[in-house]
Amino acid sequence: MGITIPAKNDYSFLFSNLNNTSQSGSLYGINLADYACIKNGSYSKLLKAYYAKTDSEDSSASSSVTNSLVSDKKEKLAKSELNSLKGTAEDVETSADRLMERGRDSLFAKKDIETTAEDGTKTVTYDYDRNKIYGAVEDLIKDYNTLLDKGGDSSSTSVLGDTLNMIKTVNSFSSQMKEVGITIGSDNTLSIDKESFLAADMEK
């Protein structure tokens, strides 16, 4: 049995580019310039700088979105606050107008008032309907105190200024109000003593 020796083949072409770096600047398919960057760490620095910038841009974009959402929320709250204040201010106006009516619809127009004593005896007198007037004044005071509370909690400097002016105006009539049983508290809210009011001179 014979041993067959194959013909000698030339495999030198496989290594023909081993030492040839002049044309492409590469060795084993690796760009030498890239290799140098990796070896001296500058490639790593470049990557870090790139991703740091990307993260910063993403963070900036995220921050911008967050700020926009916060701004929208504040705007909605401001509108809601102003709408609430407007409604309360209109309540005060309505209550005040009720007390300011003139003619037959005036709360201060005297009429025959029937009262019943404890023993059941009924008496008719021509006088003011004091209980009705008291109820109207009490409503005004409640609405005023609500507006005062909301105005004082407002984030608007304009509303705060208007609230302060309202307080000053009301306080300027403190002595007159006291004569009919209405007093101003340390927190600037109004209160009314029913007994003192009903016994007061309605002309005042």
Side-chain angles (χ1 to χ4, degrees):
M1 179 177 176
I3 297 175
T4 304
I5 300 175
K8 183 178 180 181
N9 293 317
D10 184 7
Y11 296 103
S12 61
F13 72 91
L14 294 174
F15 308 98
S16 61
N17 292 324
L18 186 60
N19 295 316
N20 182 15
T21 61
S22 59
Q23 292 181 356
S24 62
S26 63
L27 176 65
Y28 301 114
I30 301 175
N31 186 289
L32 294 181
D34 290 345
Y35 176 73
C37 287
I38 295 171
K39 188 174 181 181
N40 65 25
S42 59
Y43 185 71
S44 175
K45 291 178 182 178
L46 181 63
L47 283 176
K48 287 180 180 178
Y50 171 78
Y51 285 111
K53 182 179 179 183
T54 302
D55 290 343
S56 176
E57 289 175 350
D58 290 343
S59 176
S60 177
S62 176
S63 177
S64 178
V65 171
T66 301
N67 289 338
S68 178
L69 290 174
V70 170
S71 179
D72 288 346
K73 187 175 181 181
K74 285 183 178 179
E75 186 176 347
K76 288 179 181 178
L77 285 173
K79 287 182 179 178
S80 175
E81 176 188 300
L82 290 176
N83 286 334
S84 178
L85 277 167
K86 181 182 177 183
T88 305
E90 289 173 348
D91 290 340
V92 173
E93 185 177 13
T94 299
S95 297
D97 286 345
R98 181 71 185 96
L99 286 163
M100 299 295 289
E101 287 181 355
R102 295 290 182 264
R104 290 184 303 174
D105 294 329
S106 174
L107 291 174
F108 295 93
K110 288 185 176 182
K111 60 186 75 176
D112 289 332
I113 306 296
E114 184 180 279
T115 58
T116 304
E118 291 182 1
D119 61 0
T121 304
K122 294 184 178 181
T123 304
V124 177
T125 56
Y126 185 70
D127 196 5
Y128 298 101
D129 190 340
R130 294 171 184 267
N131 284 312
K132 197 169 187 179
I133 296 171
Y134 170 80
V137 173
E138 187 179 37
D139 287 343
L140 174 60
I141 288 175
K142 287 178 181 178
D143 291 336
Y144 171 85
N145 288 340
T146 300
L147 181 60
L148 181 67
D149 184 54
K150 289 184 178 181
D153 289 338
S154 176
S155 57
S156 168
T157 55
S158 176
V159 171
L160 289 173
D162 289 340
T163 303
L164 182 59
N165 288 332
M166 181 176 72
I167 291 172
K168 289 179 179 178
T169 301
V170 172
N171 285 354
S172 68
F173 292 97
S174 60
S175 59
Q176 292 95 322
M177 291 191 297
K178 192 173 182 179
E179 291 179 3
V180 293
I182 301 172
T183 54
I184 302 173
S186 59
D187 58 354
N188 292 306
T189 58
L190 300 179
S191 61
I192 182 170
D193 180 74
K194 184 175 183 179
E195 185 176 346
S196 297
F197 184 85
L198 293 179
D201 182 358
M202 290 295 107
E203 291 292 336
K204 292 183 179 180

